[in-house]
Amino acid sequence: MSAKKGLHLTLKIWRQKNNKSKGQFETYKISDVSTDSSFLEMLDILNENLINEGKEPIAFDHDCREGICGMCSLYINGRAHGPDTGITTCQLHMRMFKDGETIVIEPWRSAAFPVIKDLMVDRSAFDRVMAAGGFISVNTSGNTLDANAIPVPKEDADRAMDAAACIGCGACVATCKNGSAMLFVGAKVSQYALLPQGRVEAKRRVLNMVKAMDEEGFGNCSNTGACEVECPKGISLENIARMNREYMAALIDQG
């Protein structure tokens, strides 16, 4: 029985020394790539080859490699996370590509996500939006009510859990023609707004998070829906609508 033939690929990869330098695409050839390997494993092989040749390896983000952390985010052949759906880059396998194919690999393109180096971007803007209101204040005096003793309708709990599935990878921002972060912020607002524990600070939360989002330079939503299509966790546009309702109610209450 003959061995399974590997892929021979041409990779056009964005190289950029830092956020102040001008980047450019560089072309690399890679051979005998197993169709069973992941996209990041393919990049690992390429980097090993570059190191063996005395060249600088390509910088790219990764951590869990299990579709949980969202750090592996790459723009591949014009799509966030590549040609598959409902997956992160680390879950993308090389069987999605054809032998002899040219693959274009870029970092996220957004003013709010400046390039750190090569394929790595700074997504700390998301952290600052979360710090502005993505939390609840809990009384830890010892007289707190056990969370499990607070009745929550199953439908609300399910929607809150669906919103909380957002991993903050930034695919929504990278895909949106306006660089909008409203799907991300909508998901983070919703996961609290749908639960009684989050209602106490609901108005302050949405006002602060939307303000932080605008200050970070993210664009506005124009309802094209590309963010939902490319989101690896399938976060619904309903969360943007909920955030807008929460925001308007908070503004009216504020007077």
Side-chain angles (χ1 to χ4, degrees), residues 204-226:
R204 184 175 66 184
R205 174 182 302 111
V206 70
L207 290 173
N208 288 347
M209 292 185 77
V210 169
K211 180 183 178 184
M213 174 181 70
D214 291 341
E215 289 175 348
E216 292 294 338
F218 293 107
N220 204 358
C221 175
S222 51
N223 298 310
T224 58

Side-chain angles (χ1 to χ4, degrees), residues 15 27-28 47-58:
R15 302 301 305 263
T27 303
Y28 303 91
N47 274 344
E48 186 174 345
N49 293 343
L50 290 174
I51 291 170
N52 289 338
E53 294 169 7
K55 299 177 181 177
E56 186 174 5
I58 296 152

Side-chain angles (χ1 to χ4, degrees), residues 23 47 54 57 62-63 77 81 86 96 98 107 135 174 176 193 195-196 203-205 243 249 253:
N47 274 344
H62 62 92
D63 191 3
N77 283 353
H81 294 300
M96 297 297 297
K98 298 177 182 178
F135 55 86
C176 178
L195 299 176
K203 292 181 172 61
R204 184 175 66 184
R205 174 182 302 111
M243 179 187 70
D253 185 71

Side-chain angles (χ1 to χ4, degrees), residues 78-101:
R79 287 189 66 181
H81 294 300
D84 208 346
T85 56
I87 54 101
T88 52
T89 301
C90 63
Q91 295 173 301
L92 178 66
H93 283 81
M94 297 311 296
R95 56 180 169 268
M96 297 297 297
F97 301 94
K98 298 177 182 178
D99 187 37
E101 187 171 350

Side-chain angles (χ1 to χ4, degrees), residues 128-138 185-213 243 246-247 250 254:
R128 291 187 288 273
V129 171
M130 288 299 292
F135 55 86
I136 59 171
S137 298
V138 178
V185 179
K188 298 308 179 183
V189 166
S190 289
Q191 73 182 67
Y192 297 112
L194 286 161
L195 299 176
Q197 294 91 335
R199 293 311 306 168
V200 179
E201 298 167 294
K203 292 181 172 61
R204 184 175 66 184
R205 174 182 302 111
V206 70
L207 290 173
N208 288 347
M209 292 185 77
V210 169
K211 180 183 178 184
M213 174 181 70
M243 179 187 70
E246 291 281 325
Y247 185 72
Q254 193 179 49

